[in-house]
Amino acid sequence: MSSNSSLDKRENKNFVINNKYFLKQYALKNRDLFGNGVIVINLLLLKTDIVSEQNIPNYEIEDDKELTIHQAISYIPQNNFWFKMLNLKIKKKYQIDIQEKDSTDNKTLVIFVKDASVEHFSIYSLKL
């Protein structure tokens, strides 16, 4: 019998696999607008296993202040407060610095947030 943690990780991995094309397009579009960043999927707010354009808001370059982890799916650029917060949490838990250029070359991280305090999360790498 598997633990909840391993079941949760498998579901997150399946989510990334099932939505790989959309997540890549979303990352590339937002990277062109805002620069390097991460995709955050807030599991508390996500209502579906398949995502599309209708599930996420569209942002323009001047809207980057509104990018937050308090949306079901969002792109968080490196100059955003939430990126810095996530970087600290990931450094503490996994000893990975997501701000380093080598760690973000030709890929985007997909971060699944599982609670409001951002203490429980998992990360996946998505090759672009």
Side-chain angles (χ1 to χ4, degrees):
M1 184 167 237
S2 64
S3 69
N4 283 343
S5 176
S6 64
L7 180 63
D8 192 34
K9 288 179 185 175
R10 188 171 54 237
E11 288 175 3
N12 292 347
K13 184 177 181 179
N14 287 337
F15 181 90
V16 171
I17 291 168
N18 293 339
N19 295 288
K20 182 171 40 174
Y21 178 76
F22 174 79
L23 292 172
K24 283 182 181 183
Q25 295 305 312
Y26 182 66
L28 289 170
K29 177 181 125 184
N30 284 294
R31 187 168 72 175
D32 290 344
L33 284 174
F34 304 114
N36 285 334
V38 296
I39 296 173
V40 176
I41 299 172
N42 189 330
L43 295 175
L44 299 174
L45 302 173
L46 191 66
K47 305 270 189 264
T48 179
D49 291 339
I50 303 295
V51 293
S52 66
E53 284 290 331
Q54 293 100 5
N55 298 99
I56 53 176
N58 263 333
Y59 289 101
E60 301 300 325
I61 293 174
E62 58 271 1
D63 291 341
D64 68 337
K65 302 288 186 272
E66 295 180 29
L67 296 168
T68 177
I69 64 167
H70 299 295
Q71 297 163 342
I73 298 174
S74 60
Y75 184 84
I76 307 295
Q78 279 188 343
N79 62 351
N80 187 288
F81 164 79
W82 287 107
F83 186 94
K84 294 172 178 112
M85 180 67 72
L86 289 167
N87 189 41
L88 289 173
K89 301 279 185 179
I90 291 170
K91 265 189 196 178
K92 182 179 176 184
K93 185 173 180 178
Y94 295 111
Q95 292 75 45
I96 298 171
D97 186 357
I98 63 173
Q99 285 185 314
E100 288 180 358
K101 183 74 173 146
D102 293 340
S103 69
T104 58
D105 277 347
N106 204 25
K107 60 183 164 183
T108 293
L109 294 180
V110 179
I111 302 170
F112 288 89
V113 175
K114 301 172 186 172
D115 62 353
S117 63
V118 194
E119 291 298 322
H120 298 61
F121 58 90
S122 57
I123 60 174
Y124 295 87
S125 157
L126 184 65
K127 289 185 183 179
L128 301 177

